[in-house]
Amino acid sequence: QVQLVESGGGLVQAGGSLRLSCAASGRTVSRYAMAWFRQAPGKERDFVAVLRWGAASTYYADSVKGRFTISRDNAKNTVYLQMDSLKPEDTAVYYCAADTRGAGLAYAHLYDYWGQGTQVTVSS
């Protein structure tokens, strides 16, 4: 019912910035918790950041705290991930996900909808 499409990935040098976008179609995601996950080669899909609808609160993985910012534009039905001070270890496929229950926990299996992923590569 909800389709998510990520964009904005690319190749950047360490210390650079990228902004990922997640455009949602179908039902509005304004009441959902929206999150970003990432998966590096040979690794599990890791939680990155979440924006919870209820309290408009955000939470970040320790690895990205202070560098990444999640935000949303409800009018555009779009969620963003601003990534600053990128490091090579940030290299991964980044996925947008929606939790229709709004819990917004850091567990991938709790999210109902997923985008196709967008590649982020950070060079040294």
Side-chain angles (χ1 to χ4, degrees), residues 13 21 44-45 52 56 60 63 70 73 87 101 114 123:
Q13 293 184 326
S21 298
E44 296 182 339
R45 187 168 297 185
R52 302 183 179 92
Y60 300 90
S63 59
I70 187 171
D73 185 336
K87 304 175 181 179
R101 294 173 296 276
W114 293 84
S123 62

Side-chain angles (χ1 to χ4, degrees), residues 38 47-48 60-68 87 89-90:
R38 66 186 182 186
F47 169 79
V48 176
Y60 300 90
D62 289 341
S63 59
V64 306
K65 192 174 299 182
R67 300 187 297 118
F68 291 10
K87 304 175 181 179
E89 51 263 44
D90 295 319

Side-chain angles (χ1 to χ4, degrees), residues 52-80:
R52 302 183 179 92
W53 169 79
S57 62
T58 59
Y59 183 78
Y60 300 90
D62 289 341
S63 59
V64 306
K65 192 174 299 182
R67 300 187 297 118
F68 291 10
T69 303
I70 187 171
S71 62
R72 73 197 308 171
D73 185 336
N74 289 330
K76 296 181 178 180
N77 221 20
T78 300
V79 179
Y80 304 96

Side-chain angles (χ1 to χ4, degrees), residues 5-101:
V5 179
E6 304 97 331
S7 62
L11 194 157
V12 297
Q13 293 184 326
S17 298
L18 282 175
R19 189 178 76 164
L20 306 183
S21 298
C22 174
S25 62
R27 299 182 66 85
T28 180
V29 299
S30 62
R31 296 174 64 89
Y32 303 162
M34 300 296 300
W36 289 93
F37 290 78
R38 66 186 182 186
Q39 187 167 21
K43 297 183 179 180
E44 296 182 339
R45 187 168 297 185
D46 294 326
F47 169 79
V48 176
V50 65
L51 193 159
R52 302 183 179 92
W53 169 79
S57 62
T58 59
Y59 183 78
Y60 300 90
D62 289 341
S63 59
V64 306
K65 192 174 299 182
R67 300 187 297 118
F68 291 10
T69 303
I70 187 171
S71 62
R72 73 197 308 171
D73 185 336
N74 289 330
K76 296 181 178 180
N77 221 20
T78 300
V79 179
Y80 304 96
L81 184 67
Q82 177 67 44
M83 305 186 295
D84 298 320
S85 301
L86 283 163
K87 304 175 181 179
E89 51 263 44
D90 295 319
T91 295
V93 177
Y94 283 71
Y95 298 90
C96 177
D99 175 4
T100 60
R101 294 173 296 276

